[in-house]
Amino acid sequence: YREQLGSFARREATRLLAENQRRKHKYIVTKLGEDWIFLVLLGLTMALVSWCMDYASAKSLQVYKWMHGELQGNVLLQYLAWVTYPMVLIMFASLFCHLVAPQSIGSGIPELKTILRGVVLKEYLTLKAFVAKVIGLTAGLGSGMPVGKEGPFVHIASICAAVLSKIMSIFSGVYENSAHNQDLLVCACAVGVATCFAAPVGGVLFSIEVTSTYFAVRNYWRGYFAATFSAFIFRVLSVWNKDAVTITALFRTNFRMEFPFDLQELPAFAIIGISCGFLGAFFVFLNRQVVLVMRRQTALTRFLTKHRLIYPAVVTLVIATLTFPPGFGQFMAGELMPRECITSLFDNFTWTKIWGSPPPPGLGRSAVWLHPQVNVFIILLLFFVMKFWMSAVSTTMPIPSGAFMPVFILGAAAMTGAVTHTVSTAVICFELTGQISHILPMMVAVILANMVAQGLQPSLYDSIIQVKKLPYLPELGFGHFSKYNIFVEDIMVRKVKFLSSQSTYRELNNLLKSTSLKTIPLVDSKESMILLGSIERSELLAFCDWWLSAERRILSQRQGPASRESWESFAYVDEEGAEESEEKVCDALGNGIKAWEEAELDKQIDIDQIRIDPSPFQLVERTSLHKTHTLFSLLGLSHAYVTSIGKLVGVVALKEVRRAIPHVALLRPRSPCSAVPSHACAAVPRALCLSITLPLPSFLLRRSVLLHRC
C-alpha cells in the first residue's frame, strides 16, 4: 500500500508540475499577444527603419555635394556629376520597384484609404512591397529630388503592421480578425507620420483626418502610445548618433515669445491662408493634369509605357539642369537640399536687411539666398514658381514619393493643409519647430486655406483615387441639401437577380454563370419576394460542384435500386470483344453521366444544406442618400438590399452611391408631388411642382418624368 501510495504521489506531482508549466506558458503566450506588445514592436521597428533611411539618404546627399565641390573649377564635369547622380538613383528606384513590387510606386495613402474602407487590394501589404518601398524611397530621398517621405512611410508602417499581425497571430487569435487588423492599420498610419517628423500628436490627428471617415475612439490610446514610442526612439537614435545633443524638435526655431506677433498682423495671416488655399487647389489640379496626360493613349505615352525609365530620367534631367548651382540654380537657391531649405527658411534672419552687406556670423547655408546682383524677393519668387511645378511633376514619377514635404517647403502648414484637406498640419508644424507662440494666426491661415481648397478641388489623395478609379466612397459636399431629398429608391437597381426556395439547380447554375455577384439574395418565392437572407457566391459554387460531383454520382448509383445491375453489367467483359466494345462502353457511360446530371439539375435546391446569412443589411425605400452614405462609410458596406414591408424591391451597391454623389448639386429640393401617387398630382398646386431641366443620369430621370407629369 505504501509503495502504491508513493508511486501515485510521484505521478500526481509530475502531473501538477507539468500543468503548472503549461499554465505559465499559456500566460506568457497570452501576454505576448496583447496589443501593447504589438504596438511597442511596431513603434520600435518603424523608428529603426526611419532612422536608417534618413541616415542612408543623408550620406547619399553628402556624396552628392562632395562630388560637386571636388569638381569646382570645371563647370562641364560639375554639370555632368550634378545631373548623372540623381538620374542613376531615380532610375534605379523606378526599375527596382517595377521588378520587385509595382504596388510600392507612389504615395500609398490613397490605396490605404481604400483598404481601410474594407476593399481588399492584392499585394499592397506584403513583405515584397515593404522592401521595394524602403529601398526605392531611400534612393529617391538620396537623389535630392523634390519628393517627400511622409506618404510612402505611412504605407511602410501599414505593411509592417500587417506583417506583425501575421506573426502575432501565433500568440493570439485576435490578430486573425479583420476588424481588429483595421484598427491596427489606423495606428500604423499615426506611427508612420510620427516617425517622419517626430510629431506624435500631429501624427495621430493627421492619420485620422487623412485615412478615416469615421474614427473609433477605442483606437486613440493605441495610436498615441505607438506614435509617442516611435517618435521617442527615433529622436533617441539621433542623439545616439550625435546628430543632436538632446531630444529636441526636428527643425527647432527661436522666435521671440514675449511678443510673437502684433494683432494688426492677423489680416495678413488670413490673406496668406486664402492665397495658400488657391495655390493648394492649383497644385492638386496641376498634378492631376500631368497624370491624366500620361495616361492618355497616344504614341508618346505608349512609347513611355514601353520604356519605363525614360520618363523619370527626363524629369530628373530637367529638374537637375535647372537647379545646377553655377547655372540657373544660383537664382533660386538650387544648391540647397530639401531639409536645408526648411532649416534656412526657418532661421531668424531678416534677409532684406543683410542683403547687399557682408553676411553676419551664423548665417550658414542661408547665404545662398543672397545674390549680389539679384534682389532676395526675386530669388524667393523664382524658387517658389520653379519648385511648385517641379514638386507637382516629381510626384508623378514611378517611384515611391510623397508630396507633404515639398509642399511644406512651399507654403508650410497652410498650403500643406490645403493640398491634403487637413487641419492637423498646424499641429505637426508646432511639433516640428517646438514653438506654439503663433498658434492663433497659424490656425486662422490653415482653416481659411482649407475652406478655399475644399470648395475648388478634392484633396491630393482623393484626386489620385479618382484618377486610379479605386473603389472608394467620396465625401458628400457641404451645403448640398439635396442629399437629404434623394432616396435609395432613386438610385437602386430594381432588376435584382435572386434565388427562391423553389429554385432548381439548373436555375442556380445559370445564375452563377450569368452574374459575378459575391452574394445572392434568397427570397421565399417569386410571387411574395419576402427576403429570407443572402448566400455567398463561394458557398453556392462549392455546393453546386458537390451536387454534380463524381463522388456523389457514384454514391447515389450505389444506393439506387438498379445500381447492382448497372455496375455488374460492366464487371464481366469478354476479353476477345473488349477492343470492339470499348468505344460503346465509353459512349454509354458518357450518356449515362449526362442523363444523370440533367436529372439532378431539374431537382429543387435543398436550402437546408446551404449556409445562409439570415440578416443581410437592409434599407427601406425612403432612406436618404445622406444616411445611406453614412452607413456605407461607417460600416464598410459593399451593398445593401432595399426592402418594402419585408419584400425585396432592389439593391444598392457602392457603385450606385458613388455614381449619385456627383449629381447631388444638380437637384433642387424634392417637391411634395414626388411623394404622392400620380393620380393625386392634380390636387397639388402647380407652383410646388418643380421640373428638372439639367442633364441627369438615368437613375434621376425617373423623378424628372414624375415631376413633369405632375
Side-chain angles (χ1 to χ4, degrees):
Y1 174 77
R2 285 196 299 271
E3 291 177 358
Q4 292 177 355
L5 184 62
S7 61
F8 172 77
R10 284 193 294 273
R11 288 196 304 271
E12 189 68 15
T14 304
R15 185 185 66 80
L16 291 174
L17 183 61
E19 185 178 347
N20 189 28
Q21 289 178 348
R22 284 196 301 270
R23 191 180 295 112
K24 288 182 179 179
H25 178 72
K26 185 177 180 181
Y27 176 79
I28 293 173
V29 169
T30 303
K31 287 298 179 182
L32 287 175
E34 290 185 353
D35 280 352
W36 68 273
I37 295 290
F38 173 89
L39 297 174
V40 166
L41 291 175
L42 177 63
L44 180 62
T45 305
M46 294 313 302
L48 289 171
V49 172
S50 180
W51 183 82
C52 291
M53 287 177 59
D54 284 353
Y55 182 81
S57 60
K59 291 297 180 184
S60 175
L61 291 174
Q62 285 181 8
V63 172
Y64 189 28
K65 303 297 285 290
W66 175 82
M67 290 173 58
H68 175 72
E70 288 295 317
L71 295 173
Q72 194 169 5
N74 193 327
V75 179
L76 180 60
L77 289 179
Q78 267 189 320
Y79 172 74
L80 291 176
W82 185 265
V83 169
T84 305
Y85 190 83
M87 284 180 64
V88 171
L89 288 177
I90 292 296
M91 287 191 293
F92 165 76
S94 177
L95 182 62
F96 185 82
C97 292
H98 175 68
L99 295 177
V100 177
Q103 296 81 8
S104 62
I105 292 173
S107 171
I109 290 182
E111 290 80 10
L112 192 61
K113 289 183 71 171
T114 308
I115 291 172
L116 290 174
R117 171 62 184 73
V119 179
V120 178
L121 297 180
K122 294 182 179 180
E123 304 295 330
Y124 269 94
L125 298 178
T126 59
L127 197 58
K128 288 196 306 181
F130 178 86
V131 174
K133 200 89 174 182
V134 170
I135 295 178
L137 181 60
T138 305
L141 294 174
S143 67
M145 288 293 104
V147 294
K149 175 186 175 185
E150 171 263 343
F153 215 72
V154 169
H155 188 193
I156 292 171
S158 302
I159 297 172
C160 186
V163 174
L164 277 176
S165 296
K166 294 180 180 178
I167 298 174
M168 295 294 288
S169 62
I170 301 172
F171 305 102
S172 178
V174 71
Y175 291 97
E176 297 177 356
N177 187 289
S178 59
H180 187 261
N181 288 336
Q182 295 275 29
D183 294 343
L184 297 178
L185 284 180
V186 175
C187 301
C189 298
V191 171
V193 180
T195 47
C196 278
F197 309 120
V201 179
V204 173
L205 297 178
F206 187 81
S207 67
I208 293 172
E209 287 187 286
V210 168
T211 61
S212 303
T213 305
Y214 296 94
F215 184 77
V217 181
R218 64 178 179 272
N219 295 325
Y220 237 50
W221 77 270
R222 292 189 181 101
Y224 277 116
F225 179 81
T228 304
F229 185 78
S230 62
F232 172 75
I233 297 297
F234 177 66
R235 296 306 292 158
V236 165
L237 289 172
S238 298
V239 175
W240 172 77
N241 196 46
K242 297 181 181 179
D243 296 331
V245 179
T246 184
I247 296 178
T248 58
L250 206 59
F251 301 104
R252 185 171 181 81
T253 57
N254 295 304
F255 301 135
R256 59 183 182 181
M257 298 288 294
E258 64 277 2
F259 191 74
F261 62 92
D262 194 351
L263 191 62
Q264 298 175 355
E265 296 175 352
L266 281 178
F269 285 107
I271 294 173
I272 291 174
I274 295 172
S275 303
C276 286
F278 284 107
L279 290 170
F282 182 66
F283 182 90
V284 175
F285 173 79
L286 180 61
N287 179 272
R288 184 169 65 252
Q289 292 304 312
V290 173
V291 175
L292 291 176
V293 167
M294 295 304 300
R295 284 175 173 260
R296 288 177 188 166
Q297 292 298 322
T298 61
L300 178 61
T301 56
R302 284 193 293 268
F303 175 77
L304 293 177
T305 304
K306 185 177 180 180
H307 304 85
R308 296 178 179 273
L309 297 181
I310 293 181
Y311 177 69
V314 170
V315 171
T316 307
L317 174 64
V318 172
I319 293 176
T321 301
L322 291 174
T323 57
F324 181 51
F328 186 75
Q330 62 181 315
F331 304 111
M332 52 171 287
E335 186 180 343
L336 295 180
M337 296 298 111
R339 272 179 183 261
E340 294 175 338
C341 287
I342 296 178
T343 304
S344 62
L345 290 170
F346 276 156
D347 67 10
N348 205 11
F349 289 99
T350 306
W351 293 344
T352 54
K353 291 183 178 180
I354 60 178
W355 178 68
S357 60
L363 188 61
R365 300 295 296 167
S366 298
V368 298
W369 296 95
L370 305 175
H371 195 277
Q373 283 84 31
V374 183
N375 190 286
V376 66
F377 291 108
I378 301 296
I379 292 179
L380 284 172
L381 180 62
L382 286 174
F383 173 84
F384 182 86
V385 173
M386 299 302 290
K387 287 291 183 180
F388 188 91
W389 70 262
M390 287 179 182
S391 301
V393 174
S394 296
T395 51
T396 64
M397 292 191 296
I399 61 171
S401 62
F404 189 97
M405 190 58 74
V407 175
F408 188 84
I409 294 173
L410 294 173
M415 189 168 171
T416 311
V419 170
T420 59
H421 287 191
T422 57
V423 183
S424 56
T425 53
V427 182
I428 293 176
C429 192
F430 299 149
E431 294 182 278
L432 273 175
T433 58
Q435 197 160 2
I436 61 171
S437 57
H438 290 77
I439 183 170
L440 180 61
M442 191 180 295
M443 290 300 299
V444 169
V446 171
I447 291 173
L448 289 175
N450 262 279
M451 289 175 58
V452 173
Q454 289 185 21
L456 297 174
Q457 289 287 331
S459 71
L460 180 64
Y461 308 124
D462 289 340
S463 175
I464 297 173
I465 287 173
Q466 293 174 8
V467 171
K468 291 186 175 182
K469 298 180 180 179
L470 296 174
Y472 182 75
L473 192 62
E475 291 296 320
L476 286 170
F478 295 104
H480 295 155
F481 296 103
S482 296
K483 62 189 176 183
Y484 299 101
N485 299 314
I486 300 176
F487 300 105
V488 169
E489 62 180 352
D490 299 317
I491 63 174
M492 69 181 182
V493 176
R494 297 179 181 271
K495 295 181 180 180
V496 185
K497 295 185 178 181
F498 60 90
L499 280 176
S500 69
S501 55
Q502 291 85 26
S503 297
T504 62
Y505 288 96
R506 188 182 302 279
E507 294 174 348
L508 171 60
N509 197 26
N510 294 335
L511 181 61
L512 292 174
K513 290 180 180 178
S514 63
T515 182
S516 59
L517 296 174
K518 292 183 178 180
T519 57
I520 296 176
L522 175 67
V523 298
D524 184 33
S525 64
K526 296 180 181 179
E527 294 76 21
S528 65
M529 291 297 290
I530 300 298
L531 183 64
L532 300 179
S534 64
I535 308 173
E536 294 287 337
R537 180 184 181 85
S538 57
E539 178 76 14
L540 290 173
L541 285 171
F543 183 71
C544 197
D545 291 341
W546 172 81
W547 187 258
L548 299 178
S549 63
E551 294 82 359
R552 185 180 169 277
R553 185 183 71 250
I554 294 172
L555 183 62
S556 62
Q557 287 177 347
R558 283 179 178 176
Q559 294 175 352
S563 60
R564 180 178 298 275
E565 297 178 5
S566 60
W567 282 94
E568 287 180 355
S569 61
F570 298 105
Y572 303 100
V573 180
D574 188 5
E575 295 181 1
E576 296 180 358
E579 296 180 0
E580 299 177 0
S581 61
E582 184 177 353
E583 295 182 1
K584 297 181 180 180
V585 171
C586 293
D587 293 341
L589 185 59
N591 293 333
I593 293 174
K594 188 174 182 180
W596 178 84
E597 289 182 349
E598 291 294 326
E600 292 297 314
L601 286 173
D602 290 330
K603 292 183 179 180
Q604 187 173 315
I605 298 175
D606 189 0
I607 298 297
D608 296 334
Q609 297 188 23
I610 305 176
R611 288 182 296 182
I612 302 173
D613 179 11
S615 57
F617 201 87
Q618 302 175 40
L619 300 171
V620 296
E621 294 175 294
R622 303 291 293 176
T623 305
S624 66
L625 177 61
H626 175 265
K627 183 177 290 186
T628 304
H629 181 277
T630 302
L631 292 172
F632 270 69
S633 301
L634 183 60
L635 303 177
L637 301 177
S638 60
H639 69 280
Y641 298 114
V642 183
T643 57
S644 176
I645 323 178
K647 295 182 179 181
L648 179 65
V649 295
V651 62
V652 58
L654 187 65
K655 178 173 64 176
E656 281 75 42
V657 180
R658 289 179 60 196
R659 193 184 301 165
I661 289 174
H663 303 284
V664 169
L666 301 179
L667 280 178
R668 303 176 190 176
R670 172 181 280 227
S671 63
C673 66
S674 61
V676 298
S678 58
H679 62 79
C681 288
V684 181
R686 186 175 181 81
L688 296 177
C689 301
L690 304 177
S691 63
I692 302 173
T693 57
L694 295 173
L696 296 175
S698 57
F699 69 86
L700 294 178
L701 288 178
R702 289 192 294 270
R703 185 186 301 177
S704 177
V705 172
L706 179 59
L707 297 182
H708 279 296
R709 185 190 306 168
C710 178

